[in-house]
């Protein structure tokens, strides 16, 4: 099938390359595409169509149409006409039952027609409803493209580039633009094969879209280049458009470009006897290549000179056998039919250009191209004399395809219009025309033209559908890039691992769930009975400093901070403008103009931004510094905390010298620390903040002093016994301070604070309360609180308290039920179970231990 | 004890976040000033006594030695896979390895230094190693 050497052929005849199609060996040459090698070997049927399973062959040889999609080395939907040949490739047909040549599902084409009109699955397969899952499964097996999952692990990378000039498209105009721009230009081309002169070439590579800010993602093999360019030159050229007539999808009906490439690039004789129908010069001039290849040309129909009314292609077993043009029957195995060339404007439209119909040339052209973007070459629409092709040429009975990707016929579009889907956007969604792999490259104009005819209006009135990325098919893996999941590790991470901790995710942090013993209850006991230590370095930590620092915090928080004395700590809850609880933490005053704020573990960045935002609004003389990573924090808690701490420091830590809610700078085991006397876990405790670089020696000293490391699970039990809330666990985006049972924190006499109006006007539709349950059955988080058989709230936290001997938890309940001793009902395993509301903390309700 | 002394480990501060009109700031020998934003900069290679000197000039300084870990890497191609910062426009602050904030400076032709949050440093080095593999190194 190979022709004698052609002047510009791309193949190396001395370098044979072999691969397999469905287990059979195929040989091509270096420089071939998989598709051209298959064609040269005599293969004509490349795929089976989406819905009707009709045989399909090469149409464009440019990677535009869906006809050559195959599975290559497990990767589905590879356009083999542009996929470079590679030795040993395993090429397989897809969407067939049997083989490409004998696909049993082709029965749909023969008998299914009347039962499978456009949108049939919306109408005929919806009843009975319970059968739909089976219908769906059936349809998915009958229709569709390749199957994912056969390729194994494949690596995709993302690379960022900045260039002065990015040229998209390496045709004549694109190359000229790149040469003119010189050294700072990058040219992206889908094929390559030419030598760049004074600019950089990226090929084969495809620009997928133009996003805001001049961002152009370019797919180049397994690397996605995210290119930002100051100037983008779009030279994407044109796309040859097929004609719509009966049998226009038969194998052997091709576009002129396919002939040019088969003959000139790959030296392949495309057929034996050809008929040419063209609407422009390029469509008719293909006779040159046909002559060069020794193909007999039966007839050339130049639509510019001799408009025709009827075209009908006839075939045998899906292969073209002949064509009838206005009654004249012509035997042929190749029909080169084209309706002119449509500018490939999609990227320009994505960038914001307006698309207008040029009636004289019968194409849609880009106008009003936005600044920073230029269109050059034939994409601008300046393309010689053309004939306006008819919407369709109905020469005989038979399917006239408007869309090859989705098997949408002229009849389907007519039907869509008849049913009222008469705008192009609606018809698109109903029939799926332009929604297939070609993304409208070959069917957009055809469908617009058909709609215009049916609605008796002009193409300009129909308009185009919205152009969206990706411009060409792209693997999802390439868009996803490498799977990297950020992990935050505390400065004590190595210590936790060494102690056999079971680590768990909390946001991006890895934290110990419990330690080596695997017994959180024992860790809880240690804290209650003697001494425990927990790494709380994950807490967000901010320094707020400046002459207006006190006033700034006073205005941010609902409670007071202006009157906080130096060396004291106070609990604070941040509320949004809407009065909702955002975050909580402690605020220590270290000096008149210096405050140290802690946030929740996941809140450090958002709270810092919140502070910065309000400071920008109010213009205070305040610096806000996020020091989360600079500092470690370790909470030493338990009745013997003071006895353990005293020998490690020179400072006086006696109850009178270092009182509850005090903040002091001191050295512990030689490490400079900020010590806060606070207690999330309800026992006497010191939260020690020190440089992250000194965290390990401090931790070691505390463990050496007898403190038992405890993990998050133990902490959750301990804090629950104290009914201390965790923002985000016990509260949600609707919770306010009143409903969460913290009205005491709202100082209504303050002039203002963020969310004041909203808190003052907040209604309390439910309340967060503590509850106890007699037996040891623990409701899951999210369990329903039921009242008269109806949902009336939910459990947010629940654990067994070994110390108290029963279940303790927090739940949202109706305000009427938020009273000490009220009975509520919690559904566990479908059964309502009795629980009793408790408003005070379950453990040490007066806080004597904390203050001791 | 001096202000925020608990933020400093025993040794001299090496990296100070400076707040104030940093454009007017003159680093001394061996110190370098890397921009973080308007009126914010990171003073690296800070000498003993730098906090006091800065305070005397009316700046606020915070010891970020422990907050930041440096990661050094070789190759502009590697940097381009790690961040969308422009290699020609360094030092600059941006995001590396999917959202990790970083200050990046160029040390030599093909050598770069990243200052990343300490808690994410190990993750960043894992990403760098993975990307190196992708480049066939």
């Amino acid at each position: 099938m190979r022709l004698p050497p052609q002047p510009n052929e791309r193949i190396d005849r001395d370098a044979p390359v072999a691969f397999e199609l469905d287990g059979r060996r195929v040989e091509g040459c270096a420089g071939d595409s998989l598709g051209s090698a298959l064609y040269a070997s005599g293969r004509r049927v490349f795929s089976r169509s989406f819905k009707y399973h009709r045989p399909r062959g090469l149409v464009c040889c440019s990677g535009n149409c869906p006809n050559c999609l195959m599975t290559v080395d497990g990767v589905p939907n590879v356009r083999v006409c542009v996929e470079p040949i590679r030795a040993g490739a395993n090429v397989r047909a897809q969407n067939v039952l049997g083989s490409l040549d004998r696909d049993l599902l082709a029965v749909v084409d023969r008998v299914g027609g009347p039962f499978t009109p456009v949108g049939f699955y919306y109408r005929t397969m919806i009843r009975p409803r319970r059968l739909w899952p089976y219908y769906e499964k059936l349809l998915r097996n009958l229709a569709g493209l390749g199957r994912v999952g056969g390729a194994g692990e494949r690596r995709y990378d993302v690379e960022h580039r900045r260039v002065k000039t990015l040229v998209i498209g390496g045709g004549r105009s694109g190359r000229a633009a790149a040469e003119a721009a010189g050294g700072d230009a990058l040219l992206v081309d889908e094929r390559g094969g030419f030598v760049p002169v004074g600019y950089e070439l990226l090929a084969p590579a495809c620009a997928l879209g133009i996003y805001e800010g001049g961002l152009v993602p370019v797919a180049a093999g397994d690397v996605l280049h995210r290119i930002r360019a100051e100037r983008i030159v779009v030279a994407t050229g044109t796309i040859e458009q097929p004609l719509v007539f009966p049998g226009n999808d038969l194998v052997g009906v091709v576009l002129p470009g396919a002939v040019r490439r088969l003959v000139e690039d790959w030296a392949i004789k495309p057929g034996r006897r050809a008929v040419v129908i063209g609407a422009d010069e390029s469509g008719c001039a293909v006779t040159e290549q046909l002559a060069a290849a020794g193909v007999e040309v039966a007839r050339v129909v130049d639509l510019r000179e001799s408009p025709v009314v009827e075209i009908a292609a006839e075939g045998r077993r899906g292969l073209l056998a002949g064509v009838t043009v206005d009654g004249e029957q012509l035997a042929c195995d190749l029909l080169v039919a084209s309706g002119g060339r449509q500018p490939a404007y999609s990227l320009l439209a994505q960038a914001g250009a307006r698309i207008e119909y040029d009636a004289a040339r019968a194409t849609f052209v880009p106008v009003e191209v936005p600044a920073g973007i230029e269109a050059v070459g034939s994409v601008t629409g300046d393309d010689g004399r053309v004939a306006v092709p008819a919407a369709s040429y109905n020469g005989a009975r038979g399917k006239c395809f408007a869309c090859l990707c989705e098997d949408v016929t002229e009849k389907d579009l007519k039907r869509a219009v008849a049913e009222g889907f008469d705008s192009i956007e609606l018809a698109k969604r109903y029939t799926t025309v332009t929604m297939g792999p070609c993304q409208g490259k070959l069917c957009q104009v055809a469908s617009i033209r058909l709609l215009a005819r049916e609605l008796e209006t002009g193409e300009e009135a129909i308009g185009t559908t919205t152009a969206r990325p990706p411009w060409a098919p792209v693997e999802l893996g390439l868009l996803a890039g490498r799977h990297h999941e950020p992990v935050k590790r505390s400065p004590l991470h190595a210590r936790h691992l060494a102690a056999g901790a079971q680590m768990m995710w909390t946001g991006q942090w890895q934290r110990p769930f419990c330690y080596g013993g695997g017994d959180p209850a024992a860790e809880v006991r240690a804290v209650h009975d003697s001494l425990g230590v927990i790494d709380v370095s994950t807490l967000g930590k901010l320094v707020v400093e400046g002459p207006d620092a006190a006033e700034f915090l006073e205005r941010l928080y609902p409670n007071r901070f202006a009157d906080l004395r130096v060396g004291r700590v106070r609990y604070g809850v941040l509320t949004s403008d809407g009065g909702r609880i955002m975050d909580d933490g402690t605020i220590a005053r270290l000096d008149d103009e210096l405050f140290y704020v802690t946030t929740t573990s996941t809140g450090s960045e958002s709270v810092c931004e919140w502070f910065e935002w309000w400071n920008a609004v109010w213009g205070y003389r305040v610096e806000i510094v996020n020091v989360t990573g600079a500092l470690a924090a370790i909470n030493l808690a338990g009745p013997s905390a003071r006895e353990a701490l005293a020998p490690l420091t020179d400072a006086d830590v006696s109850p009178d010298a270092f009182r509850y809610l005090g903040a002091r700078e001191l050295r512990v085991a030689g490490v400079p620390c900020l010590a806060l006397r606070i207690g999330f876990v309800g026992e006497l405790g010191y939260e020690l903040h020190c440089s992250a670089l000194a965290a390990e020696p401090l931790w070691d000293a505390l463990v050496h002093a007898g403190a038992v490391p405890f993990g998050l699970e133990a902490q959750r039990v301990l804090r629950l016994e104290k009914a201390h809330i965790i923002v985000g666990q016990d509260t949600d985006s609707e919770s306010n301070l009143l409903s969460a049972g913290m009205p005491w924190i709202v100082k209504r006499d303050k002039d203002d604070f963020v969310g004041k109006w909203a808190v003052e006007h907040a209604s309390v539709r439910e309340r967060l309360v503590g509850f106890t349950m007699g037996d040891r059955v623990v409701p899951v988080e999210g369990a329903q609180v039921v009242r008269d058989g109806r949902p009336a709230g939910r459990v947010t936290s629940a654990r067994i308290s070994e110390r108290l001997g029963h279940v303790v938890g927090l739940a949202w309940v109706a305000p009427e039920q938020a009273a000490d001793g009220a009975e509520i009902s919690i559904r566990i395993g479908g059964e309502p179970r009795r629980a009793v509301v408790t408003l005070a903390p379950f453990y040490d309700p007066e806080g004597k231990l904390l203050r001791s | 004890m001096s202000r925020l002394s608990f933020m400093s480990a025993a040794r001299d501060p090496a990296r100070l976040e400076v707040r104030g009109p940093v454009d007017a700031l003159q680093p001394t020998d061996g110190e370098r000033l890397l921009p973080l934003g308007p009126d914010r900069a990171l003073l690296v290679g800070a000498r003993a006594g730098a906090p006091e000197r800065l305070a005397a000039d009316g700046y606020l300084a915070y010891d970020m030695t422990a907050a930041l870990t440096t990661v050094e890497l070789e190759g502009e191609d590697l940097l381009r896979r790690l961040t969308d910062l422009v290699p020609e426009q360094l030092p600059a602050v941006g995001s590396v390895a999917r959202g990790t904030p970083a200050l990046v400076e160029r040390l030599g032709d093909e050598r770069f230094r990243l200052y990343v949050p300490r808690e994410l440093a190990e993750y960043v080095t894992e990403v760098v190693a993975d990307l190196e593999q992708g480049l066939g190194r």
Side-chain angles (χ1 to χ4, degrees):
Chain A
M1 288 297 283
R2 293 280 185 187
L3 299 165
Q6 299 294 302
N8 297 313
E9 69 180 24
R10 289 173 177 235
I11 50 169
D12 179 356
R13 291 167 188 257
D14 299 327
V17 181
F19 61 94
E20 282 189 355
L21 171 67
D22 288 330
R24 282 201 204 145
R25 188 183 144 90
V26 179
E27 199 171 282
C29 310
D32 261 322
S33 69
L34 287 169
S36 69
L38 286 169
Y39 200 93
S41 77
R43 172 139 296 276
R44 291 295 175 269
V45 179
F46 278 69
S47 67
R48 289 286 175 153
S49 71
F50 184 81
K51 177 172 162 184
Y52 296 118
H53 290 261
R54 288 165 70 99
R56 294 275 164 85
L58 297 184
V59 164
C60 68
C61 279
S62 314
N64 287 335
C65 77
N67 278 13
C68 66
L69 295 183
M70 290 184 170
T71 298
V72 180
D73 293 333
V75 178
N77 307 333
V78 175
R79 294 163 293 160
V80 298
C81 75
V82 289
E83 182 73 11
I85 192 169
R86 57 176 184 266
N90 176 12
V91 182
R92 298 205 159 266
Q94 56 187 39
N95 193 27
V96 295
L97 183 64
S99 70
L100 271 178
D101 299 313
R102 285 171 195 276
D103 179 6
L104 298 176
L105 295 176
V107 69
V108 178
D109 188 33
R110 265 168 250 135
V111 302
F115 308 105
T116 57
V118 61
F120 71 94
Y121 37 85
Y122 297 130
R123 288 188 294 255
T124 53
M125 287 181 149
I126 53 172
R127 287 196 187 82
R129 259 179 102 103
R130 65 195 158 78
L131 284 185
W132 168 246
Y134 300 99
Y135 290 142
E136 188 184 26
K137 205 168 173 183
L138 175 75
L139 288 173
R140 285 205 186 279
N141 279 319
L142 288 178
L145 300 167
R147 290 177 190 281
V148 291
E153 187 77 8
R154 239 181 112 186
R155 192 189 167 98
Y156 297 101
D157 279 286
V158 176
E159 193 163 318
H160 305 271
R161 291 288 304 270
R162 298 254 179 173
V163 294
K164 208 155 195 136
T165 303
L166 173 67
V167 183
I168 302 168
R172 255 197 318 275
S173 315
R175 292 205 298 267
E179 274 175 44
D184 290 326
L186 173 67
L187 189 146
V188 172
D189 187 58
E190 291 180 17
R191 303 188 71 202
F194 50 88
V195 181
V197 184
Y199 57 88
E200 190 188 339
L201 172 67
L202 184 61
C206 179
L208 301 173
I210 298 181
Y211 290 79
E212 277 159 289
L215 172 66
V216 181
V218 175
D222 292 341
V223 179
L224 181 77
H225 297 258
R226 290 169 55 98
I227 302 175
R228 283 186 195 276
E230 288 172 29
R231 171 174 169 249
I232 299 170
V233 181
V234 177
T236 41
T238 55
I239 301 165
E240 289 170 337
Q241 296 297 306
L243 294 173
V244 180
F245 55 86
N248 64 340
D249 72 324
L250 287 167
V251 176
V253 179
V254 300
L255 290 164
V259 171
R260 279 193 295 273
R261 286 187 136 188
L262 286 170
V263 174
E264 291 178 350
D265 292 354
W266 299 310
I268 298 171
K269 185 173 178 177
R272 286 183 298 274
R273 192 161 192 264
V275 170
V276 177
I277 305 175
D280 63 359
E281 188 52 38
S282 119
C284 297
V286 74
T287 48
E288 283 170 34
Q289 282 83 22
L290 291 171
V295 179
E296 181 193 343
V297 178
R299 194 182 152 190
V300 179
V301 180
D302 186 338
L303 295 174
R304 292 172 298 180
E305 310 299 337
S306 49
V308 299
V309 182
E310 291 179 354
I311 303 173
E314 300 99 41
R316 267 193 298 275
R317 272 186 270 155
L319 303 183
L320 179 74
V323 60
T324 307
V325 181
D326 276 351
E328 183 184 358
Q329 284 195 324
L330 299 154
C332 61
D333 63 348
L334 192 67
L335 172 55
V336 190
S338 95
R341 297 184 298 165
Q342 165 58 47
Y345 64 72
S346 183
L347 293 177
L348 292 163
Q350 288 174 33
R354 199 162 60 77
I355 306 305
E356 201 171 65
Y357 187 66
D358 178 346
R361 293 199 179 84
T363 54
F364 287 89
V365 291
V367 293
E368 296 169 19
V369 177
I373 296 176
E374 292 159 45
V376 299
S378 54
V379 72
T380 57
D382 186 13
D383 206 28
R385 188 167 76 90
V386 297
V388 180
S392 69
Y393 296 86
N394 291 318
R397 287 168 60 87
K399 292 189 174 84
C400 298
F401 286 89
C403 166
L404 294 174
C405 297
E406 306 272 300
D407 269 354
V408 181
T409 62
E410 177 191 17
K411 196 169 149 194
D412 292 332
L413 281 163
K414 278 184 177 173
R415 189 166 174 144
V417 171
E419 291 183 24
F421 300 101
D422 56 359
S423 92
I424 187 69
E425 293 284 9
L426 287 177
K428 165 185 163 178
R429 282 154 180 78
Y430 189 55
T431 65
T432 71
V433 69
T434 76
M435 287 167 74
C438 95
Q439 286 290 288
K441 288 190 179 88
L442 300 187
C443 54
Q444 162 108 295
V445 178
S447 57
I448 291 168
R449 211 161 261 155
L450 285 165
L451 235 61
R453 188 188 67 189
E454 290 308 307
L455 294 167
E456 295 173 3
T457 180
E459 284 85 344
E460 68 285 347
I462 300 292
T464 61
T465 54
T466 307
R468 293 190 184 89
W471 162 238
V474 59
E475 294 109 304
L476 287 173
L478 190 61
L479 300 181
R482 298 293 294 158
H483 180 77
H484 293 138
E485 185 154 14
V487 190
K488 289 183 176 173
R489 295 174 173 97
S490 109
L492 293 164
H493 192 78
R495 287 292 187 272
H496 302 323
L497 297 185
Q502 295 172 28
M503 303 304 276
M504 64 179 282
W505 287 101
T506 58
Q508 288 186 332
W509 288 99
Q510 279 276 294
R511 301 188 66 184
F513 172 79
C514 67
Y515 285 85
D519 185 2
E523 295 173 6
V524 171
R525 268 198 306 280
V527 178
H528 277 316
D529 296 338
S530 55
L531 189 59
V533 65
I534 182 170
D535 175 13
V536 291
S537 304
T538 58
L539 289 173
K541 309 170 202 80
L542 308 177
V543 170
V544 178
E545 186 174 22
D548 300 329
E551 195 183 334
F552 176 65
L553 294 171
E554 179 84 4
R555 205 164 160 187
L556 273 172
Y557 285 88
N559 51 339
R560 253 183 272 283
F561 285 97
D563 65 351
L564 184 67
R565 280 175 288 131
V566 172
R568 300 296 292 165
V569 189
R570 195 169 282 169
Y571 175 68
V573 180
L574 280 169
T575 48
S576 67
D577 293 285
R580 273 65 177 264
I581 295 173
M582 285 174 62
D583 204 85
D584 69 347
T586 56
I587 294 91
R589 189 167 204 165
L590 306 183
D591 210 334
D592 280 345
E593 299 182 358
L594 182 62
F595 290 81
Y596 182 73
V597 178
T598 65
T599 75
T600 60
S601 294
T602 46
S604 72
E605 274 130 42
S606 57
V607 170
C608 187
E609 279 172 25
W610 183 248
F611 279 22
E612 299 256 22
W613 194 85
W614 280 111
N615 193 32
V617 173
W618 294 330
Y620 284 130
R621 289 165 301 162
V622 172
E623 293 296 334
I624 299 138
V625 191
N626 190 341
V627 295
T628 301
L631 296 163
I634 298 168
N635 184 18
L636 182 70
S640 53
R642 184 176 295 114
E643 288 140 53
L645 187 63
L648 295 173
T649 180
D650 294 337
D652 181 0
V653 292
S654 63
D656 292 334
F658 194 5
R659 287 186 296 126
Y660 181 56
L661 297 180
R664 291 185 59 182
E665 291 192 42
L666 41 75
R667 276 177 187 271
V668 179
V671 174
C673 293
L674 171 67
L676 308 176
R677 243 205 86 181
I678 50 181
F680 188 48
V681 295
E683 297 288 348
L684 167 65
Y686 301 88
E687 203 170 270
L688 304 172
H689 294 244
C690 70
S691 166
L693 297 170
E696 290 188 348
L698 178 62
W699 177 266
D700 293 346
L702 297 173
V703 171
H704 188 72
V708 175
F710 64 101
L712 274 185
E713 179 56 21
Q715 188 199 40
R716 285 183 175 179
V717 173
L718 289 158
R719 69 92 195 177
L720 198 54
E721 290 174 342
K722 288 294 292 178
H724 285 157
I725 64 159
I726 296 178
V727 171
Q729 161 93 28
D730 302 304
T731 64
D732 57 36
S733 58
E734 292 296 300
S735 312
N736 64 45
L737 288 166
L738 308 182
S739 61
M742 293 190 275
W744 46 270
I745 214 169
V746 181
K747 305 302 177 198
R748 291 169 187 261
D749 56 342
K750 276 171 52 164
D751 282 348
D752 192 19
F753 59 84
V754 175
K756 184 177 187 225
W757 185 91
V759 172
E760 282 173 347
H761 293 80
S763 59
V764 176
R765 280 172 297 192
E766 48 181 8
R767 282 277 310 274
L768 183 65
V769 297
F771 68 86
T772 59
M773 295 178 86
D775 45 22
R776 295 175 65 88
V777 181
V778 186
V780 293
E781 283 159 10
Q784 272 183 355
V785 176
V786 285
R787 198 180 177 194
D788 306 328
R790 303 179 70 86
R794 68 210 169 273
V795 173
T796 59
S797 300
R799 291 285 190 280
I800 290 174
S801 164
E802 298 292 352
R803 172 85 8 164
L804 302 169
H806 52 71
V807 171
V808 295
L810 293 171
W812 289 94
V813 299
E816 314 82 86
Q817 293 187 310
D820 253 324
E823 279 195 20
I824 57 171
S825 194
I826 294 170
R827 188 172 282 166
I828 302 176
E831 290 299 312
R833 282 170 178 267
R834 183 177 163 273
V836 178
V837 170
T838 309
L839 295 182
F842 309 104
Y843 177 72
D844 183 25
E846 281 108 47
K848 283 182 188 156
L849 297 170
L850 276 174
R851 292 186 171 80
S852 63
Chain B
M1 274 195 250
S2 63
R3 165 184 159 275
L4 296 173
S5 60
F6 64 93
M7 282 187 66
S8 305
R11 62 177 179 194
D12 288 338
R15 295 191 275 269
L16 293 172
E17 183 170 334
V18 186
R19 298 287 179 95
V22 291
D23 294 339
L25 192 62
Q26 291 296 321
T28 63
D29 230 16
E31 293 178 344
R32 275 170 310 125
L33 202 60
L34 306 174
L36 291 174
D39 288 341
R40 290 175 188 195
L42 188 72
L43 186 70
V44 300
R47 301 291 189 75
E52 292 76 17
R53 198 180 74 233
L54 288 163
D57 289 343
Y59 292 97
L60 288 170
Y62 303 88
D63 186 354
M64 289 294 183
T65 313
L68 300 169
T69 301
T70 54
V71 178
E72 287 187 17
L73 53 91
E74 196 83 40
E76 201 177 299
D77 51 352
L78 179 56
L79 187 77
R80 284 209 308 254
R81 293 204 172 178
L82 193 65
T83 175
D84 63 353
L85 284 170
V86 189
E88 290 77 31
Q89 294 166 13
L90 299 177
V93 176
S95 139
V96 301
R98 302 213 164 185
T100 303
L103 172 63
V104 183
E105 64 168 336
R106 190 172 207 138
L107 298 180
D109 257 5
E110 288 281 317
R111 197 161 181 82
F112 301 89
R113 180 184 286 156
L114 278 46
Y115 297 84
V116 295
R118 189 203 43 73
E119 63 272 23
L120 284 159
E122 198 174 332
Y123 159 71
V124 171
T125 56
E126 286 161 6
V127 172
V128 169
D130 176 64
L131 296 180
E132 278 185 321
Q133 220 172 45
L135 286 164
R137 294 200 200 149

